[in-house]
Amino acid sequence: MTAPISRDDVAHVARLARLTLTDDELDTFTSQLASILDHAADVEALDLDDVAPTSHPYPLENVVRPDEVRPCLDRDEVLAEAPSAEDGMFRVPPVLGEAP
Amino acid sequence: MTATTASDQGGAFTELPSGYRLVVGLEVHVELHTATKLFCGCPNQFGDDPNTNVCPVCLGLPGSMPVLNAQAMELAMRLGRALHCEVRPSVFARKNYFYPDMPKDYQVSQYDQPTNVDGHLDLPDGTRIGIERAHIEEDTGKSTHVGGGGRIHDAAYSLVDYNRCGVPLVEIVSRPDFRTAEQAKAYVNELRAILVATGVSDAKMEEGSLRVDANVSVHQPDTPFGTRCEIKNINSVRSLGRAIEYEALRQVDLLEAGERVIQQTRHWNEDEGRTHMLRSKEEAEDYRYFPEPDLVPMVPDPARIEAIDAALPRLPAERRAALAEAAGRTLPDESVTIVVDRGLDELALDAVAAGADADRTLTHLQHDLDPDHAANVPAAHLAQLVELETSGALTASQAKQVVAEMGETGKAPEAIAAERGFEAMDTSELEGIVDEAIAANGEAWEKYCAGEQKAQGAIVGHVMKATRGQADGKLVSQLLEQRRSA
């Protein structure tokens, strides 16, 4: 059986998650993620044709709240928690490129 | 740069150089008209002081949990039904990316199981545009780039306001069914009318509650569609048309120069009238969507869908069709479209039902009656006015003035006509005045008789002055014509 996940895959996922991994860490996580995927493969081996994909474990649907305004947080309190603020706004490092 | 529309057996298309055809699909984001945000009780309110409408949920603070807004669900389903979509069970998903306007580092959206699928919207000219899906998602915050003239790449830092973060949106994704920029503009106008009529959104492009992205490509007939570019930052319906036409010609130029179109996102610059590249899409986006574990599926109750259908107001397309039929037209024309846009179609239908001539009725409702004054004008009054005009008791220009005053005062047309001294002028009386006018404008008359049509202006002006504007201009022209050919 081929490896369920390659070192390149792990490097790619790490980059998407903005994680900097050392070579040793890449090896460690590649083997750890492979064993998780192996476990998923065990489940995949079962005959599940009659089982619908499950996005949620609980038999709940349409959990909603009424469209009523609730109190918001105090702005000064919120911004006091931010690393940097200016003019009532969060100040963040320069952004490269536009939002997706 | 002009793009004209033409017709061939395949229908209208934009004429591009070298026989290329235009293909456009639109993605429209609309903010739902709710009191609160999608997953928390913060006000959904435009224009408040920055970061005053925020809470742990929309700030993405650890431990906070989203709960779906019942009204957002209702409005999304209502929009789906208004667009003739199938409303299906849906699942929220996390779209993962890093950007400061999204403090959770993911946007809650819908992915493989959207709420609304497979609908359509009919344009006023009868073109049917397919709707692939209309799914629910949350809006993002608003960034202001500081330094470097406000441009992203040169900015020293950015300031973020999260008031808009978490506001409920529906993204309406059309099929690539547009063949002209005009169709795309008509679609946005029509969609806006539907959103307002159904109360789903206030749909104000200038406030950002309706935002349009255009996927534009070109190809030669009988070949597969070309590579598309997505155009963002389109701030008005007019810009949409300009951006599509610019982008289409840019792609044709590339292809004609032997180059290829690279799939990318481009930014429309309104001042420069051009698009420029934001980022290439060659490296496929990888948002690692997965089901949002903190939200349960939305499963529409069939009884609820029936109730939504029953409560839908009559939509513009249906209203146009009804008015066109009542006015004896096989298809809605411009006058029908404008009268429906002005919200005066009920009045038109009632007046026509009361016996008014349809063309005259539509003309007045298209031009002469202020829609804000419509409540002052019962259909019976409008029908009486049109009858006065049809019988010749009022000239067209007199009828126009009377309609405007009916709107302002609510008075009956006969009363207004009497007050203004509008009386049917006896034709023989008018003939006398026309003869006087000819005598007084001998030079103009000679030119007119010599075939200089516009020379009649001086004579008609004389008649109008003598009759204090009450003469029927058309009739005066006829009388002059009779005398010339006599």
Side-chain angles (χ1 to χ4, degrees):
Chain A
M1 189 171 139
T2 56
I5 188 165
S6 72
R7 204 165 177 278
D8 286 347
D9 291 334
V10 177
H12 175 65
V13 173
R15 198 173 59 76
L16 290 174
R18 305 293 187 272
L19 295 175
T20 309
L21 301 183
T22 63
D23 283 354
D24 285 350
E25 284 170 330
L26 269 181
D27 290 335
T28 307
F29 293 130
T30 302
S31 93
Q32 287 185 356
L33 285 169
S35 52
I36 292 170
L37 290 169
D38 278 341
H39 178 63
D42 289 345
V43 178
E44 219 168 23
L46 301 173
D47 179 7
L48 300 173
D49 284 353
D50 298 333
V51 182
T54 308
S55 62
H56 296 81
Y58 307 111
L60 284 174
E61 54 193 37
N62 299 331
V63 176
V64 295
R65 63 179 174 82
D67 185 24
E68 289 164 9
V69 173
R70 302 276 301 268
C72 297
L73 292 176
D74 177 73
R75 182 169 76 181
D76 292 338
E77 212 176 312
V78 168
L79 294 177
E81 299 293 323
S84 182
E86 187 178 309
D87 292 342
M89 290 181 271
F90 292 83
R91 181 177 161 151
V92 299
V95 175
L96 296 175
E98 302 237 348
Chain B
M1 182 184 77
T2 52
T4 51
T5 57
S7 287
D8 66 354
Q9 58 272 46
F13 65 96
T14 294
E15 243 175 42
L16 291 170
S18 312
Y20 284 91
R21 297 285 179 86
L22 175 70
V23 176
V24 177
L26 295 182
E27 294 173 12
V28 179
H29 286 85
V30 294
E31 288 183 357
L32 300 180
H33 190 60
T34 55
T36 67
K37 294 187 181 182
L38 186 52
F39 299 121
C40 64
C42 293
N44 169 10
Q45 179 74 41
F46 177 81
D48 284 354
D49 279 346
N51 294 306
T52 50
N53 299 331
V54 295
C55 76
V57 173
C58 54
L59 287 175
L61 299 186
S64 61
M65 293 288 270
V67 186
L68 180 63
N69 180 340
Q71 181 66 5
M73 177 167 96
E74 170 81 14
L75 293 180
M77 295 194 298
R78 192 186 298 169
L79 175 56
R81 294 305 294 167
L83 296 175
H84 309 281
C85 289
E86 182 195 343
V87 180
R88 295 202 306 199
S90 52
V91 171
F92 289 99
R94 291 187 183 180
K95 177 182 181 180
N96 298 281
Y97 66 88
F98 292 98
Y99 201 79
D101 64 9
M102 200 63 258
K104 295 195 296 278
D105 292 335
Y106 58 83
Q107 179 190 25
V108 178
S109 183
Q110 293 177 328
Y111 184 49
D112 52 350
Q113 298 178 65
T115 299
N116 303 301
V117 296
D118 289 336
H120 61 83
L121 184 152
D122 290 334
L123 302 183
D125 73 359
T127 308
R128 175 161 291 189
I129 303 299
I131 306 287
E132 189 176 311
R133 55 189 281 155
H135 66 261
I136 305 172
E137 63 185 28
E138 55 180 345
D139 209 344
T140 59
K142 199 168 167 13
S143 312
T144 309
H145 307 294
V146 181
R151 287 194 305 274
I152 279 182
H153 292 282
D154 304 328
Y157 57 92
S158 301
L159 297 175
V160 192
D161 168 15
Y162 290 117
N163 281 351
R164 200 180 65 184
C165 193
V167 161
L169 295 177
V170 168
E171 179 177 348
I172 303 149
V173 182
S174 86
R175 296 196 187 282
D177 288 348
F178 302 97
R179 298 293 174 268
T180 71
E182 284 307 314
Q183 288 174 343
K185 288 163 70 177
Y187 170 87
V188 172
N189 283 329
E190 187 72 6
L191 185 57
R192 202 157 54 178
I194 292 171
L195 290 163
V196 172
T198 52
V200 167
S201 174
D202 58 12
K204 291 180 182 165
M205 279 188 98
E206 65 278 14
E207 289 186 5
S209 61
L210 185 151
R211 308 194 282 271
V212 182
D213 301 332
N215 284 301
V216 178
S217 68
V218 299
H219 72 131
Q220 287 287 346
D222 306 320
T223 64
F225 286 175
T227 302
R228 68 177 190 271
C229 292
E230 182 177 10
I231 315 299
K232 288 184 175 282
N233 193 46
I234 296 167
N235 294 321
S236 67
V237 171
R238 186 172 162 270
S239 302
L240 173 64
R242 292 181 68 203
I244 290 172
E245 287 170 3
Y246 174 87
E247 179 60 19
L249 290 178
R250 186 189 74 84
Q251 294 182 12
V252 168
D253 285 348
L254 277 178
L255 295 170
E256 285 296 289
E259 295 176 46
R260 65 190 184 108
V261 176
I262 297 168
Q263 192 179 347
Q264 60 191 253
T265 302
R266 298 181 67 86
H267 187 97
W268 168 249
N269 185 316
E270 179 68 29
D271 296 332
E272 296 174 13
R274 57 185 289 268
T275 62
H276 64 258
M277 189 172 92
L278 275 185
R279 59 176 181 275
S280 162
K281 286 202 167 180
E282 294 235 297
E283 188 180 343
E285 280 155 352
D286 191 344
Y287 293 123
R288 291 149 295 143
Y289 283 96
F290 64 86
E292 162 63 91
D294 294 340
L295 291 161
V296 300
M298 239 179 81
V299 180
D301 173 7
R304 189 66 219 135
I305 302 293
E306 270 175 40
I308 286 172
D309 286 349
L312 275 183
R314 292 173 71 244
L315 298 173
E318 197 185 332
R319 289 162 52 192
R320 281 193 301 268
L323 183 55
E325 192 187 338
R329 289 148 167 76
T330 48
L331 276 174
D333 59 7
E334 193 187 358
S335 66
V336 166
T337 302
I338 292 173
V339 168
V340 169
D341 278 351
R342 303 183 93 216
L344 297 175
D345 47 318
E346 287 290 330
L347 182 55
L349 287 171
D350 291 346
V352 171
D357 173 72
D359 290 336
R360 286 190 166 91
T361 301
L362 289 179
T363 298
H364 288 308
L365 295 181
Q366 192 180 343
H367 302 294
D368 307 330
L369 180 65
D370 182 337
D372 292 342
H373 295 157
N376 286 337
V377 181
H381 281 180
L382 183 59
Q384 285 161 23
L385 176 275
V386 172
E387 178 50 35
L388 288 172
E389 190 185 355
T390 309
S391 69
L394 289 177
T395 66
S397 79
Q398 288 171 340
K400 208 173 159 74
Q401 297 168 51
V402 172
V403 170
E405 191 172 332
M406 284 161 61
E408 285 155 19
T409 64
K411 289 182 191 167
E414 274 161 349
I416 296 170
E419 278 170 20
R420 292 187 171 224
F422 290 162
E423 282 164 29
M425 188 168 295
D426 187 62
T427 307
S428 64
E429 192 186 339
L430 184 61
E431 284 183 356
I433 296 170
V434 166
D435 289 337
E436 284 167 24
I438 290 173
N441 295 277
E443 204 177 319
W445 175 247
E446 274 176 33
K447 285 183 185 168
Y448 175 71
C449 289
E452 196 177 318
Q453 198 64 24
K454 69 177 184 214
Q456 74 161 329
I459 305 166
V460 175
H462 188 105
V463 173
M464 286 300 171
K465 203 170 167 195
T467 58
R468 299 186 316 278
Q470 291 184 36
D472 181 342
K474 236 188 239 169
L475 185 52
V476 174
S477 289
Q478 277 170 18
L479 291 174
L480 287 176
E481 185 57 47
Q482 279 170 18
R483 277 157 178 69
R484 175 165 68 177
S485 49

